[in-house]
Amino acid sequence: MPKPVVAQALLPYTLQIDSAQLEQTASSLAEEAVQLARLQQYQLAVPRAELAIQLAPKNAQTWTLLGSLYLQVEQFDKGILALQQAQSLSPENPAIKFVLGEAYFRQAKYEKAVEYLQAGLKLKPNTPGALFDLGNAFYKLKRFDQAIAQYEKAFALEKNLWPAINNIGLVKYEMGDVDSAIKRWEEAIAIDNKAAEPMLALAVALYTKGDKAKGLTIGEAALKLDKRYATVDYLKENLWGDRLITDTQKFLETPEMKAALAKIQDSPPSG
């Protein structure tokens, strides 16, 4: 005789969903993701944010967090989809528009970046970071005067924002106004004397103008602070233009800079 199948005698259990508990769990997961992101552990943060979304799919903040994390791991299309979902849930939130602007910038879609950054700035105009990002987008579009105007607005709101002053120098150099670029980089260094970027840019400009000894001294000091600036890819990431990169390559090929780089090649960046 076959044995009776016990499972047939079991009644299906109806799971009771506690929506408040789900929300609380989602919130905890999102907070974990934020903490991991602060530690730059983005690969660990992403799955927690994804699970938080599954548990609480109507939370605009969590969608924004997920979108931002996707940008950090360079999954730009997924990031934009998540941010668009966040915007549909919270259409008047300027922060979401700012992050969308960043996402499109990272994709080199500079017109779209301008569109979203300007939309966010209409809602929250005095936002230094967004003004700075808008300046960068205009710079990439070669709308140099508009770029400078945004950098100046950003700096007026945040007096320690040396990257805004630095980037005005980058724009001026590409426009052929080397003296103005030098002045801006000197201002940026006065704000932060450990900022390697304006130091190297200043060194290259001085050397190219003929002040070779001063340029070489400052250039070596800059690369001691951060040797990543000796690589062209890193300069491009930091929006250095073609003219400045060409002059920097010539500068780094000098025997003096080659010797200086050889000395610091094995040392970690200190800035």
Side-chain angles (χ1 to χ4, degrees):
M1 292 287 291
K3 292 182 180 178
V5 180
V6 177
Q8 290 177 336
L10 296 176
L11 292 172
Y13 177 74
T14 304
L15 182 65
Q16 299 298 313
I17 303 296
D18 184 340
S19 58
Q21 183 64 44
L22 286 180
E23 289 280 352
Q24 187 176 340
T25 305
S27 179
S28 297
L29 284 164
E31 184 55 41
E32 280 183 39
V34 169
Q35 296 296 340
L36 287 165
R38 285 179 183 146
L39 297 170
Q40 299 185 354
Q41 299 289 321
Y42 304 117
Q43 296 287 356
L44 295 173
V46 166
R48 285 166 172 79
E50 288 174 334
L51 185 52
I53 287 295
Q54 290 177 25
L55 296 175
K58 299 293 185 187
N59 189 310
Q61 272 191 315
T62 309
W63 278 108
T64 305
L65 170 64
L66 179 60
S68 300
L69 291 171
Y70 280 141
L71 299 190
Q72 293 292 345
V73 296
E74 299 190 352
Q75 295 185 37
F76 301 127
D77 290 335
K78 289 175 80 171
I80 286 169
L81 285 173
L83 292 164
Q84 287 173 338
Q85 182 63 31
Q87 185 171 240
S88 71
L89 293 165
S90 184
E92 296 302 305
N93 186 329
I96 298 169
K97 298 182 193 300
F98 294 151
V99 185
L100 269 165
E102 179 195 342
Y104 283 114
F105 185 92
R106 298 278 297 278
Q107 283 196 320
K109 295 177 180 176
Y110 303 121
E111 293 283 5
K112 292 286 284 183
V114 166
E115 177 188 328
Y116 278 97
L117 289 165
Q118 287 182 326
L121 285 162
K122 278 184 183 175
L123 296 167
K124 194 175 180 184
N126 296 327
T127 308
L131 289 163
F132 178 76
D133 289 347
L134 181 57
N136 288 342
F138 280 137
Y139 174 34
K140 295 298 286 186
L141 291 166
K142 299 192 184 303
R143 290 155 67 174
F144 293 145
D145 290 340
Q146 287 172 291
I148 290 169
Q150 303 310 314
Y151 293 141
E152 286 175 341
K153 285 181 191 175
F155 184 70
L157 290 165
E158 191 173 319
K159 293 299 186 184
N160 289 326
L161 191 63
W162 66 260
I165 298 300
N166 175 78
N167 285 19
I168 293 174
L170 297 180
V171 176
K172 291 287 188 182
Y173 203 91
E174 292 309 297
M175 294 171 75
D177 188 351
V178 177
D179 289 335
S180 291
I182 287 171
K183 182 183 175 189
R184 293 301 193 163
W185 290 324
E186 287 173 340
E187 289 173 13
I189 294 164
I191 296 166
D192 183 352
N193 63 9
K194 298 294 184 187
E197 183 175 354
M199 285 177 70
L200 183 61
L202 176 62
V204 171
L206 290 171
Y207 184 89
T208 304
K209 276 198 75 179
D211 195 346
K212 295 182 186 286
K214 189 175 181 182
L216 291 166
T217 300
I218 296 172
E220 183 173 353
L223 293 179
K224 278 181 181 174
L225 287 167
D226 195 337
K227 65 187 179 188
R228 291 174 298 175
Y229 284 97
T231 61
V232 170
D233 285 345
Y234 194 69
L235 298 178
K236 286 180 178 176
E237 280 178 37
N238 284 277
L239 307 188
W240 287 37
D242 294 339
R243 184 192 298 257
L244 184 55
I245 286 176
T246 298
D247 289 343
T248 302
Q249 287 176 303
K250 293 174 186 172
F251 177 72
L252 294 173
E253 283 299 312
T254 61
E256 296 91 343
M257 287 309 299
K258 278 187 170 181
L261 266 171
K263 282 183 196 173
I264 60 177
Q265 203 61 44
D266 297 325
S267 63
S270 54

